[in-house]
Amino acid sequence: MEPFIVSARKYRPESFEDVVGQGAITKTLENAIQNNHLAQALLFTGPRGVGKTTCARILAKKINQESGHHDPDEDFAFNIFELDAASNNGVDQIRSIVDQVRIPPQVGTYKVYIIDEVHMLSNAAFNAFLKTLEEPPAHAIFILATTEKHKIIPTILSRCQIFDFKRITVSDMREHLKRIASKEGIEAEEEALQIIAQKADGALRDSLSIFDRVVSFSGKHLNVQAVTENLNVLDRETYFQVTELLLENNIPQLLVDYNEIMSKGFDGQHFISGLASHFRDLMVCKDERTIPLLELGEQTKAKYLEQSKKVDLAFLRKGIEIANDADFNYRASRNQRLLVELTLMQLASINLDGEKKNDLKQILPATYFKDQSITSYPQDTTISTETKPTVADNDNQVNTPVASTPEQIKAEPSATKPKPTQPSKDQQVATMPGEDTATETPSTTPNKSLEEARKALLQKSRRKVSGLSIQGIEVQKNHVALRQDQQLHQDKLPEEDFTQERLHEVWQQYIEHLKARGELILASILNADQPQLKGRKLCLKFPNESMKVTLEQSQGQVMEYIKRELRNYSIEFDILVDQTVTKKYVYTDQDKYSKLVEKNPAVDLLRRTFDLDF
């Protein structure tokens, strides 16, 4: 089996024309070589994987080729010296370079020194390099490469000609991956390459590494499903479906789909931030002049254009605001899944008729979805327009039409009833208010039942009393008085006599009960002292205040058990803090020895017999 060469090495550019996305820099370097206008020290800076080291090697080889002293088959490798500053960051390595610079090249005109990750050099190494970098020999050129320019001291920066490499755009990266796929004989979907380019985040080397990984997974056919499954990313189709459900106010199906997304291992914050980005892309598609801002394929752009026509601009603005708030509060939330689910409910309630303009947290009631069925993922359900609720203008109460149950539908003998006919315009008679009609058409029955449901709901809302009103305070007082009348009086509870032995027995039983439940701290506190019965009080003494406070916090459950077992509801606790019962901790050797002798007197006999020291 032949050794595999990764694409980042196999397709590494050999000339400036092959470099992707850095046209301005490569053009500048080519002109500088042709016009003999190249500086003695160059600094290539930029993010990872954008071509800094590649351009340095191409430049080093091209310098000697353009000097006129070269053979087409000649290798200039011995004229190029590469140093990894991450592992050679001391003064000795820099002094070794300074000594080598004085020796002219054997072949060619220039000796090129490429120092990668130059920001890793120590301050002493930078200072030892200053003079040589400022006035090198005529045959020496230094190319420094770094990802963190701010860590380089200013005296080094002032001696270099700086080239800032930019991040590779998604479109350039996609086209480069398409060329490589064509050379490798791989059938790749454009949307799949788009996802790889976006995942690489501007680094071409990362995109090639991801490309190799996905090809190993899917073989010669690279599609969107293989890429999303291997990279564990949510495809855009998911966000299109979620947006459709939001526009339909379909909260149950949204929650089912989100549960399916969570079961696949996706992070909730990744989902909600991606949804906000999806809203942003839809907003960009609202104007044809801003469509080029989308770095997407033509098919995906067409989907965005189609869905943007269905979405109102106000919905997108409120949706981005709600999604960003959820993204901001996600890490601090104790129940992160609930936060995302509430966010989806709020998003699905934005298009509710009659909604207040500034109310972003209104959620549709559960009664709105009682007649809707939920399908399994990834199918989505649609909501019939006949069952949409209306919102009252004054009290924000949602009224839902009363739908016929399946039993009622079966009970109606529709087969025996004649099908109602629609009267013509000549047969229609206008009915004035106050006139009675001899017959009632079937179409008026749903309106009558709907009117009755609205009146019943209105009466129910009128019976509600606000807790901040005078009437609400009076109702609250009556409720408290009624609860007090329902409570048992103290004289009706048992007060049987018990002995000190019986008290200790119940006490130990409760301690064992706590240990079995895993409440070891409370069990240890109760085991520190045995209660002494004095009249109706159970007296306890503890060595510190913290034990007393802990017991007082759990006093209710302890007393409930003791009273129930002793059948006496008149007893109560009397907890005291006595510093004299504090345990003496063993610190010194003498204390340790005394403790051992106290437990076993034979230890002292052993020491005196053999004349030992403790």
Side-chain angles (χ1 to χ4, degrees):
M1 184 176 66
E2 296 182 359
F4 173 71
I5 302 177
V6 296
S7 299
R9 292 180 55 193
K10 185 177 181 180
Y11 295 100
R12 192 160 198 156
E14 297 293 336
S15 62
F16 284 131
E17 290 79 8
D18 299 333
V19 178
V20 179
Q22 308 294 344
I25 293 177
T26 56
K27 186 65 175 178
T28 303
L29 294 176
E30 284 182 337
N31 292 338
I33 294 173
Q34 292 176 1
N35 300 329
N36 195 19
H37 204 266
L38 194 66
Q40 82 282 358
L42 308 175
L43 176 62
F44 292 171
T45 178
R48 69 183 189 281
V50 295
K52 299 185 296 299
T53 306
T54 298
C55 287
R57 292 177 180 177
I58 296 174
L59 176 63
K61 187 175 182 180
K62 202 171 184 60
I63 288 173
N64 285 317
Q65 288 179 348
E66 295 294 334
S67 63
H69 304 282
H70 76 281
D71 189 344
D73 298 329
E74 189 175 10
D75 186 10
F76 294 95
F78 52 85
N79 280 57
I80 303 173
F81 303 90
E82 284 196 42
L83 177 67
D84 182 18
S87 56
N88 301 281
N89 55 2
V91 180
D92 296 337
Q93 287 80 11
I94 298 300
R95 288 176 177 172
S96 176
I97 293 177
V98 172
D99 294 337
Q100 295 176 11
V101 166
R102 301 171 184 172
I103 303 173
Q106 297 178 1
V107 178
T109 307
Y110 295 99
K111 293 175 68 175
V112 182
Y113 292 85
I114 302 175
I115 304 178
D116 203 2
E117 303 297 334
V118 70
H119 66 274
M120 299 293 289
L121 291 178
S122 62
N123 287 332
F126 274 129
N127 293 328
F129 196 37
L130 282 175
K131 190 62 177 176
T132 304
L133 193 65
E134 184 177 7
E135 298 179 356
H139 57 266
I141 293 179
F142 293 95
I143 303 176
L144 313 180
T146 180
T147 57
E148 303 182 36
K149 183 176 69 174
H150 60 279
K151 291 186 178 180
I152 302 177
I153 59 177
T155 50
I156 293 290
L157 294 177
S158 63
R159 288 167 169 80
C160 298
Q161 194 174 84
I162 301 175
F163 292 86
D164 288 307
F165 284 68
K166 64 180 181 179
R167 305 167 72 91
I168 310 298
T169 61
V170 176
S171 58
D172 290 342
M173 203 178 302
R174 183 185 68 245
E175 295 300 323
H176 184 65
L177 292 175
K178 188 184 298 184
R179 290 192 295 268
I180 293 178
S182 177
K183 292 179 181 179
E184 294 290 333
I186 299 173
E187 297 180 3
E189 296 181 1
E190 186 174 0
E191 184 63 25
L193 299 178
Q194 178 79 19
I195 296 175
I196 295 176
Q198 290 177 341
K199 186 71 174 178
D201 195 22
L204 187 61
R205 183 172 59 240
D206 292 355
S207 69
L208 294 174
S209 300
I210 297 173
F211 178 79
D212 289 341
R213 189 176 79 190
V214 177
V215 169
S216 300
F217 173 77
S218 61
K220 295 295 184 178
H221 300 279
L222 195 63
N223 52 24
V224 176
Q225 182 180 359
V227 173
T228 54
E229 184 177 352
N230 188 264
L231 300 183
N232 197 28
V233 296
L234 282 170
D235 56 346
R236 296 186 181 275
E237 190 62 30
T238 300
Y239 292 114
F240 280 114
Q241 293 177 1
V242 169
T243 305
E244 290 292 337
L245 294 175
L246 292 176
L247 296 176
E248 296 168 357
N249 311 111
N250 196 341
I251 292 179
Q253 188 65 42
L254 277 170
L255 299 181
V256 172
D257 288 2
Y258 179 66
N259 180 71
E260 185 70 19
I261 292 172
M262 293 289 291
S263 64
K264 294 181 180 178
F266 293 104
D267 183 51
Q269 188 173 23
H270 173 69
F271 166 75
I272 204 67
S273 62
L275 187 60
S277 300
H278 183 75
F279 290 160
R280 175 261 178 191
D281 294 339
L282 290 175
M283 186 178 292
V284 168
C285 290
K286 282 293 185 180
D287 193 335
E288 295 182 357
R289 294 171 295 181
T290 57
I291 293 179
L293 295 177
L294 298 180
E295 295 181 342
L296 302 172
E298 295 300 327
Q299 295 181 354
T300 309
K301 283 184 179 180
K303 289 184 179 180
Y304 273 102
L305 283 172
E306 182 181 356
Q307 192 172 67
S308 64
K309 297 177 182 178
K310 305 177 184 178
V311 187
D312 186 37
L313 190 61
F315 171 84
L316 295 175
R317 180 181 59 81
K318 294 180 182 179
I320 292 175
E321 182 178 351
I322 295 174
N324 285 339
D325 290 343
D327 188 15
F328 179 78
N329 298 323
Y330 186 85
R331 292 300 176 189
S333 175
R334 291 182 178 270
N335 194 336
Q336 296 174 340
R337 174 168 182 164
L338 178 60
L339 175 65
V340 178
E341 290 175 341
L342 288 175
T343 302
L344 292 175
M345 294 180 190
Q346 295 170 11
L347 291 172
S349 304
I350 291 179
N351 283 340
L352 190 62
D353 295 335
E355 177 197 6
K356 293 182 180 179
K357 294 300 182 180
N358 297 325
D359 189 3
L360 299 180
K361 297 184 178 181
Q362 186 173 353
I363 297 177
L364 288 171
T367 55
Y368 177 61
F369 313 102
K370 64 180 182 179
D371 296 327
Q372 293 179 359
S373 60
I374 300 176
T375 58
S376 59
Y377 189 86
Q379 298 176 0
D380 53 358
T381 57
T382 57
I383 297 178
S384 177
T385 55
E386 287 85 14
T387 60
K388 282 196 174 183
T390 57
V391 178
D393 297 332
N394 298 327
D395 52 2
N396 288 333
Q397 296 291 332
V398 180
N399 303 311
T400 58
V402 180
S404 300
T405 61
E407 292 77 6
Q408 293 174 344
I409 295 176
K410 293 180 180 179
E412 295 177 359
S414 57
T416 60
K417 289 185 178 180
K419 185 176 181 180
T421 57
Q422 184 70 23
S424 62
K425 294 183 179 181
D426 298 334
Q427 294 174 340
Q428 292 178 355
V429 180
T431 303
M432 298 298 293
E435 293 184 358
D436 296 332
T437 57
T439 59
E440 188 179 24
T441 59
S443 60
T444 59
T445 304
N447 294 333
K448 184 177 180 180
S449 60
L450 179 60
E451 187 65 25
E452 292 176 354
R454 287 178 176 174
K455 290 181 179 180
L457 188 58
L458 182 59
Q459 292 295 332
K460 182 179 178 181
S461 62
R462 288 177 179 176
R463 289 196 297 267
K464 294 181 179 180
V465 180
S466 174
L468 302 178
S469 62
I470 299 178
Q471 184 181 2
I473 297 174
E474 186 66 25
V475 171
Q476 185 178 4
K477 288 182 179 180
N478 296 336
H479 178 70
V480 173
L482 181 61
R483 290 290 301 273
Q484 290 177 351
D485 293 339
Q486 294 175 352
Q487 294 177 356
L488 290 176
H489 294 286
Q490 189 70 21
D491 54 2
K492 295 182 181 180
L493 298 175
E495 296 183 6
E496 297 182 4
D497 296 334
F498 58 90
T499 62
Q500 183 73 35
E501 291 74 13
R502 176 58 179 164
L503 173 61
H504 289 174
E505 180 183 352
V506 174
W507 192 262
Q508 290 300 325
Q509 289 178 1
Y510 187 64
I511 292 175
E512 296 301 327
H513 173 68
L514 291 176
K515 291 180 179 179
R517 292 175 53 185
E519 300 183 17
L520 302 181
I521 297 178
L522 182 57
S524 177
I525 293 175
L526 296 181
N527 201 24
D529 190 21
Q530 291 292 334
Q532 302 298 324
L533 183 60
K534 293 182 180 180
R536 293 186 176 182
K537 293 184 178 181
L538 304 183
C539 298
L540 290 169
K541 291 184 180 180
F542 294 115
N544 53 62
E545 186 70 24
S546 63
M547 298 177 69
K548 175 185 176 183
V549 172
T550 305
L551 180 56
E552 288 177 346
Q553 292 175 351
S554 305
Q555 182 176 349
Q557 69 180 58
V558 177
M559 289 301 297
E560 193 274 335
Y561 182 89
I562 300 299
K563 290 179 179 180
R564 186 179 66 250
E565 294 296 324
L566 296 177
R567 294 190 58 80
N568 191 320
Y569 285 81
S570 63
I571 57 178
E572 57 185 12
F573 269 146
D574 186 13
I575 306 173
L576 301 176
V577 178
D578 190 356
Q579 300 292 342
T580 59
V581 299
T582 304
K583 294 182 180 180
K584 184 178 185 300
Y585 293 94
V586 177
Y587 295 107
T588 65
D589 293 340
Q590 180 65 45
D591 293 338
K592 296 176 182 178
Y593 176 72
S594 300
K595 192 69 175 178
L596 290 175
V597 172
E598 181 182 348
K599 292 185 176 181
N600 189 357
V603 176
D604 185 60
L605 177 61
L606 178 66
R607 185 189 67 82
R608 287 187 284 101
T609 302
F610 293 97
D611 194 19
L612 300 174
D613 295 333
F614 55 82

